Amino acid sequence: MPSSVWFETLSGDERALLAASDPLPKTAEIAIVGAGMIGLATAYYLVERGVAGVCVIDRASAIAEASGANAGGLWFGQQSPDLGPLAPLARVSSRLYDELAATPGFDFGLRRTGLLELVYTDARMAEAGQLAATVQQAGFRAERIASEELHRLEPALGPGPVGALYCPDEGQLHPGKLGVSFVRALKGHGLRFCFGTEVSGLANGRVETTAGTVGAGSVVIASGAWTPLVTRVLGWTPPIQPRRGQLLATLPQPPLLHHTVLGQRYYYWQLATGHLAGGGTLEDVGFTRGVEERDLAGIRAEMNAVIPAAGALPTALAWSGFRPYCADLKPVIGRVPGQERMYVAAGHFKKGIMLAPVTGQILADLVVAGGTDLPIAALDPGRF
């Protein structure tokens, strides 16, 4: 498991639940390759439709990669100018998160704290007005606010910003607790989690692993940045690559930051536990793990300028994860080209946590009904 702030703020029992493994079955109605948030959401919506015999296979454990190392941000509005064909899916995903938060047994710290994208020049303030209109057209609330209102909303902010783009409905959640909620609910329905199990081969009706072979009616591949490494045995390698992101957190503090704040380079937010966190580098370094002191220093320099009180707070931990970057900046969701009863969902880049529920619902639609009413034509894996 990554040493992110999310795992540090789980109980020992919760961490153990995320790693608890079952024996690999000989057969499964549906085999899901990947126990990240998209794989878990897919399993959840399949089980919700009454599907039995689901098996989730992962070479590590639940949410052990990007899903447990991200910022936990539900920034639908702020990111909507880049959503394009994903905007309708983002609206559905936002609603599904509210439904999950109201579901008994799901406790993942969903908070609609809002987001402030700081603006530092008058020219950029003019652009922020246009950006707010674009966000509104995508179906989310946004407005441009001046410096006085900005500092009323966030008194801890330092001098410099002349205003902000304010998206009041943006949310934060605890990815670790969301993963725990999914796993607990799924284990309660008899779903099998087969961890420490690497997939070595795929074919229609069969998944070969280091622990044996599973005969599967359908296969769903949700392996994030590792997806091309899984699918290459099929002769199909979508242009998905890892992009490392680094983040850090301080020790818990009294309430200091009330919204998610986007500076000129990085995001900052405060967990319900009091940890002040920030970062979000974007690096093309392959699967090189770890953090770099130079990058962490850059995050701290901006954090201390944006939130001057943070300057006295030492960094308690730092971590990184691998975003699945797709060449055309759209995820790959649908049937694997040339395969029957085999589906893929990967390449969400910075929007995996945002779109996990709707992606899971789409995959459940495809597996159970053979199609979906949600608009996914632009995401067809066959485009590669």
Side-chain angles (χ1 to χ4, degrees):
M1 288 185 181
S3 59
S4 71
V5 70
W6 309 118
F7 288 98
E8 291 293 323
T9 51
L10 292 178
S11 70
D13 288 344
E14 289 172 326
R15 289 194 292 271
L17 181 66
L18 292 174
S21 185
D22 302 305
L24 187 76
K26 292 185 178 180
T27 62
E29 181 67 23
I30 299 160
I32 299 173
V33 180
M37 213 66 79
I38 288 171
L40 296 180
T42 300
Y44 177 80
Y45 287 108
L46 284 168
V47 169
E48 193 178 57
R49 283 167 165 77
V51 177
V54 179
C55 171
V56 178
I57 303 167
D58 198 287
R59 62 185 177 81
S61 55
I63 64 167
E65 294 292 352
S67 293
N70 59 77
L74 302 181
W75 305 324
F76 299 104
Q78 188 269 333
Q79 295 199 11
S80 62
D82 299 325
L83 287 175
L86 298 175
L89 303 183
R91 292 192 292 271
V92 174
S93 209
S94 182
R95 173 178 57 78
L96 290 174
Y97 266 122
D98 289 333
E99 292 178 3
L100 285 171
T103 301
F106 275 76
D107 181 9
F108 52 93
L110 176 63
R111 299 179 296 154
R112 297 286 183 174
T113 57
L115 180 144
L116 294 162
E117 181 175 344
L118 304 183
V119 176
Y120 288 87
T121 66
D122 291 338
R124 181 59 181 158
M125 271 295 280
E127 294 174 4
Q130 299 170 359
L131 195 57
T134 301
V135 173
Q136 292 164 7
Q137 288 170 5
F140 303 97
R141 290 201 298 160
E143 62 179 302
R144 180 181 59 180
I145 61 172
S147 177
E148 182 177 336
E149 175 67 4
L150 170 63
H151 286 87
R152 185 189 69 79
L153 291 172
E154 282 293 354
L157 293 181
V162 298
L165 175 69
Y166 179 37
C167 300
D169 300 326
E170 307 295 75
Q172 287 285 155
L173 57 78
H174 192 302
K177 290 189 178 294
L178 178 58
V180 167
S181 296
F182 273 134
V183 170
R184 185 180 290 125
L186 290 167
K187 280 185 174 289
H189 284 86
L191 182 143
R192 291 198 188 194
F193 289 99
C194 304
F195 295 142
T197 304
E198 192 156 358
V199 172
S200 56
L202 288 171
N204 282 316
R206 189 174 75 253
V207 180
E208 299 170 1
T209 81
T210 51
T213 299
V214 181
S218 297
V219 177
V220 174
I221 302 164
S223 303
W226 286 263
T227 295
L229 303 181
V230 174
T231 63
R232 63 187 176 187
V233 298
L234 303 170
W236 179 67
T237 52
I240 295 172
Q241 300 175 337
R243 291 292 186 269
R244 189 175 70 178
Q246 300 177 56
L247 301 104
L248 58 80
T250 71
L251 291 173
Q253 304 297 318
L256 182 65
L257 204 60
H258 307 292
H259 304 72
T260 298
V261 174
L262 173 57
Q264 291 179 295
R265 296 186 64 189
Y266 304 119
Y267 293 92
Y268 306 95
W269 73 99
Q270 189 166 22
L271 280 67
T273 55
H275 297 80
L276 192 66
T281 62
L282 183 59
E283 307 155 62
D284 184 4
V285 295
F287 286 106
T288 301
R289 295 188 181 274
V291 295
E292 305 290 340
E293 289 301 323
R294 179 186 61 185
D295 298 318
L296 299 182
I299 296 170
R300 281 309 311 249
E302 187 180 69
M303 174 188 275
N304 297 346
V306 170
I307 314 159
L313 308 177
T315 297
L317 71 159
W319 67 97
S320 67
F322 298 110
R323 306 179 187 92
Y325 169 87
C326 191
D328 65 357
L329 295 177
K330 296 193 295 289
V332 176
I333 303 175
R335 188 169 62 83
V336 174
Q339 304 296 320
E340 297 295 329
R341 306 295 296 170
M342 188 177 294
Y343 307 89
V344 63
H348 291 67
F349 194 30
K350 298 179 181 180
K351 301 174 179 65
I353 195 71
M354 287 170 47
L355 298 176
V358 72
T359 302
Q361 190 172 82
I362 289 167
L363 266 294
D365 288 345
L366 296 176
V367 171
V368 173
T372 180
D373 293 333
L374 292 167
I376 62 169
L379 315 180
D380 185 1
R383 71 187 190 273
F384 299 119

